Amino acid sequence: MSSNYLDRAKFAYAEINAYKKKHAAEASGKGGESESLKYQSKLRSYAKSVPSYIKTNGLLATMAFIDTKKIKKREANKNKQSENNYDGEAYQCLYDLIAGWSVQTVLARYKNPKAGTGASAGYFKSDFSNMTEVLANLSVSEYKNTEREILNLFCWVRRFAEGELEGGSEEE
């Protein structure tokens, strides 16, 4: 087994558990366990769908879709709606998962055509507020490598989402 294989597993496990703990803590002050289960159920469901979206539409289109879904979360927070945005939270987590892993692995090796000059300039940095723009600026081989790496990551994300997150079993 390669270290990258294990690194993917560690990253996915850490992110899924961080999401679970975050919403368990938030829910304890709000609607209790049922509130936490709603958040977990959404992420569990969407984590299963992402690989098929990527295979059907490509990583760029999938990230654009996820980006529009997570934007609803930001808009709801701006409007200070009291209603929870379970979907937005789940899509934000998926976006952060993809962006975070891309930064740590594949994109760290590629030159950023929009970056400045200097010793460390020119490579992608860890702040990706717009992954769709980053993906659109990759060469075809860089894009395909990034897409393959994210699909490999989601093998673990799906496993840990099914094993660690509760809820959603009645929908399956």
Side-chain angles (χ1 to χ4, degrees), residues 148-166:
R148 191 175 315 111
E149 185 62 34
I150 296 305
L151 283 170
N152 289 335
L153 172 68
F154 267 85
C155 289
W156 285 108
V157 171
R158 286 179 65 173
R159 288 176 189 159
F160 289 128
E162 286 180 27
E164 296 294 320
L165 300 177
E166 299 174 25

Side-chain angles (χ1 to χ4, degrees), residues 11 15-16 19 42-51 53-54 59 62-63 65-67 69-70 86-102 131 150 153-154 157-158 161 165:
F11 181 83
E15 293 295 316
I16 294 296
Y19 181 87
K42 290 294 183 179
L43 181 59
R44 182 179 174 168
S45 173
Y46 299 152
K48 291 179 187 178
S49 304
V50 168
Y53 291 159
I54 293 172
L59 181 59
T62 301
M63 285 302 289
F65 171 76
I66 291 171
D67 193 34
K69 294 295 187 174
K70 76 178 183 70
Y86 306 111
D87 292 330
E89 283 287 331
Y91 282 116
Q92 181 69 53
C93 179
L94 293 171
Y95 186 93
D96 293 343
L97 263 163
I98 294 170
W101 185 250
S102 298
M131 273 296 288
I150 296 305
L153 172 68
F154 267 85
V157 171
R158 286 179 65 173
L165 300 177

